[in-house]
Amino acid sequence: MPDPNPTVGELFKANVVTHDDVNALIDAVLDGRMEEQTDLGEGYALNVAAAVKANAFATAVLRDRTSTKGARRTAVRTAILLARAQKA
């Protein structure tokens, strides 16, 4: 039985979430625009702020003022892809 709350990465592999979708979420986080829920498609949603805050690595990289833009993007991308989407 498939998991009712797949990770965003699993939705990405299933082509429910696109590269553009993930990049838009990353840009939103880095620009400080994190809404409560973001629709991902096919009835799934993600609380982007909670996903990033729940990932210790992403939180540490974002707090480190010496982190490069690339490191920040990679950390946020990882947090998003590992986060569990909720059925809306």
mmCIF file of all heavy atoms in Angstrom, residues 2 6 17 19 22 27 29 35 58 62 68 84-85:
data_model
loop_
_atom_site.group_PDB
_atom_site.id
_atom_site.type_symbol
_atom_site.label_atom_id
_atom_site.label_comp_id
_atom_site.label_asym_id
_atom_site.label_seq_id
_atom_site.Cartn_x
_atom_site.Cartn_y
_atom_site.Cartn_z
ATOM 1 N N PRO A 2 0.687 2.149 -0.953
ATOM 2 C CA PRO A 2 1.525 3.349 -0.997
ATOM 3 C C PRO A 2 1.278 4.250 0.214
ATOM 4 O O PRO A 2 0.194 4.279 0.781
ATOM 5 C CB PRO A 2 1.104 4.045 -2.282
ATOM 6 C CG PRO A 2 -0.020 3.290 -2.851
ATOM 7 C CD PRO A 2 -0.257 2.069 -2.032
ATOM 8 N N PRO A 6 3.357 10.948 0.754
ATOM 9 C CA PRO A 6 4.674 10.759 0.141
ATOM 10 C C PRO A 6 5.567 11.982 0.345
ATOM 11 O O PRO A 6 5.082 13.076 0.628
ATOM 12 C CB PRO A 6 4.341 10.574 -1.337
ATOM 13 C CG PRO A 6 3.079 11.352 -1.514
ATOM 14 C CD PRO A 6 2.317 11.177 -0.227
ATOM 15 N N VAL A 17 5.294 16.824 -9.215
ATOM 16 C CA VAL A 17 6.001 18.075 -8.945
ATOM 17 C C VAL A 17 7.118 18.203 -9.977
ATOM 18 O O VAL A 17 7.837 17.242 -10.236
ATOM 19 C CB VAL A 17 6.585 18.065 -7.509
ATOM 20 C CG1 VAL A 17 7.387 19.308 -7.236
ATOM 21 C CG2 VAL A 17 5.475 17.902 -6.484
ATOM 22 N N HIS A 19 10.534 20.403 -11.874
ATOM 23 C CA HIS A 19 11.723 21.192 -11.523
ATOM 24 C C HIS A 19 11.323 22.633 -11.236
ATOM 25 O O HIS A 19 11.808 23.243 -10.280
ATOM 26 C CB HIS A 19 12.751 21.188 -12.661
ATOM 27 C CG HIS A 19 13.547 19.933 -12.781
ATOM 28 N ND1 HIS A 19 14.590 19.634 -11.949
ATOM 29 C CD2 HIS A 19 13.442 18.903 -13.647
ATOM 30 C CE1 HIS A 19 15.108 18.465 -12.292
ATOM 31 N NE2 HIS A 19 14.426 18.001 -13.316
ATOM 32 N N VAL A 22 9.736 22.980 -7.763
ATOM 33 C CA VAL A 22 10.740 22.921 -6.687
ATOM 34 C C VAL A 22 11.551 24.208 -6.661
ATOM 35 O O VAL A 22 11.775 24.790 -5.593
ATOM 36 C CB VAL A 22 11.654 21.682 -6.847
ATOM 37 C CG1 VAL A 22 12.787 21.709 -5.822
ATOM 38 C CG2 VAL A 22 10.841 20.396 -6.705
ATOM 39 N N ASP A 27 13.045 29.438 -4.247
ATOM 40 C CA ASP A 27 13.105 30.902 -4.373
ATOM 41 C C ASP A 27 12.245 31.575 -3.313
ATOM 42 O O ASP A 27 12.649 32.576 -2.723
ATOM 43 C CB ASP A 27 12.663 31.340 -5.771
ATOM 44 C CG ASP A 27 13.653 30.954 -6.856
ATOM 45 O OD1 ASP A 27 14.836 30.685 -6.522
ATOM 46 O OD2 ASP A 27 13.238 30.906 -8.035
ATOM 47 N N VAL A 29 11.441 30.450 -0.329
ATOM 48 C CA VAL A 29 12.103 30.336 0.982
ATOM 49 C C VAL A 29 13.241 31.344 1.082
ATOM 50 O O VAL A 29 13.354 32.077 2.068
ATOM 51 C CB VAL A 29 12.627 28.903 1.222
ATOM 52 C CG1 VAL A 29 13.511 28.846 2.459
ATOM 53 C CG2 VAL A 29 11.465 27.927 1.357
ATOM 54 N N GLU A 35 4.428 30.838 2.529
ATOM 55 C CA GLU A 35 3.034 30.773 2.933
ATOM 56 C C GLU A 35 2.801 29.528 3.771
ATOM 57 O O GLU A 35 3.614 28.613 3.778
ATOM 58 C CB GLU A 35 2.117 30.740 1.702
ATOM 59 C CG GLU A 35 2.040 32.068 0.962
ATOM 60 C CD GLU A 35 3.219 32.319 0.042
ATOM 61 O OE1 GLU A 35 3.761 31.347 -0.506
ATOM 62 O OE2 GLU A 35 3.607 33.480 -0.110
ATOM 63 N N ALA A 58 19.258 22.249 6.943
ATOM 64 C CA ALA A 58 18.826 23.457 6.236
ATOM 65 C C ALA A 58 18.788 24.649 7.183
ATOM 66 O O ALA A 58 19.232 25.745 6.828
ATOM 67 C CB ALA A 58 17.455 23.239 5.600
ATOM 68 N N LEU A 62 21.048 28.008 6.679
ATOM 69 C CA LEU A 62 20.396 29.308 6.520
ATOM 70 C C LEU A 62 20.795 30.287 7.613
ATOM 71 O O LEU A 62 20.855 31.500 7.374
ATOM 72 C CB LEU A 62 18.875 29.140 6.488
ATOM 73 C CG LEU A 62 18.334 28.438 5.240
ATOM 74 C CD1 LEU A 62 16.839 28.188 5.392
ATOM 75 C CD2 LEU A 62 18.621 29.234 3.984
ATOM 76 N N THR A 68 27.206 30.161 1.283
ATOM 77 C CA THR A 68 27.066 30.685 -0.075
ATOM 78 C C THR A 68 25.621 30.523 -0.555
ATOM 79 O O THR A 68 24.851 29.737 0.007
ATOM 80 C CB THR A 68 27.987 29.950 -1.056
ATOM 81 O OG1 THR A 68 27.567 28.581 -1.129
ATOM 82 C CG2 THR A 68 29.444 30.043 -0.639
ATOM 83 N N ARG A 84 7.409 15.527 3.876
ATOM 84 C CA ARG A 84 6.207 14.756 3.533
ATOM 85 C C ARG A 84 5.077 15.707 3.154
ATOM 86 O O ARG A 84 4.737 16.609 3.887
ATOM 87 C CB ARG A 84 5.764 13.891 4.702
ATOM 88 C CG ARG A 84 6.775 12.814 5.007
ATOM 89 C CD ARG A 84 6.135 11.449 4.991
ATOM 90 N NE ARG A 84 7.193 10.444 5.085
ATOM 91 C CZ ARG A 84 7.456 9.579 4.124
ATOM 92 N NH1 ARG A 84 6.759 9.590 3.030
ATOM 93 N NH2 ARG A 84 8.423 8.699 4.275
ATOM 94 N N ALA A 85 4.523 15.471 1.984
ATOM 95 C CA ALA A 85 3.379 16.248 1.520
ATOM 96 C C ALA A 85 2.127 15.714 2.208
ATOM 97 O O ALA A 85 2.046 14.540 2.570
ATOM 98 C CB ALA A 85 3.239 16.125 0.007
#
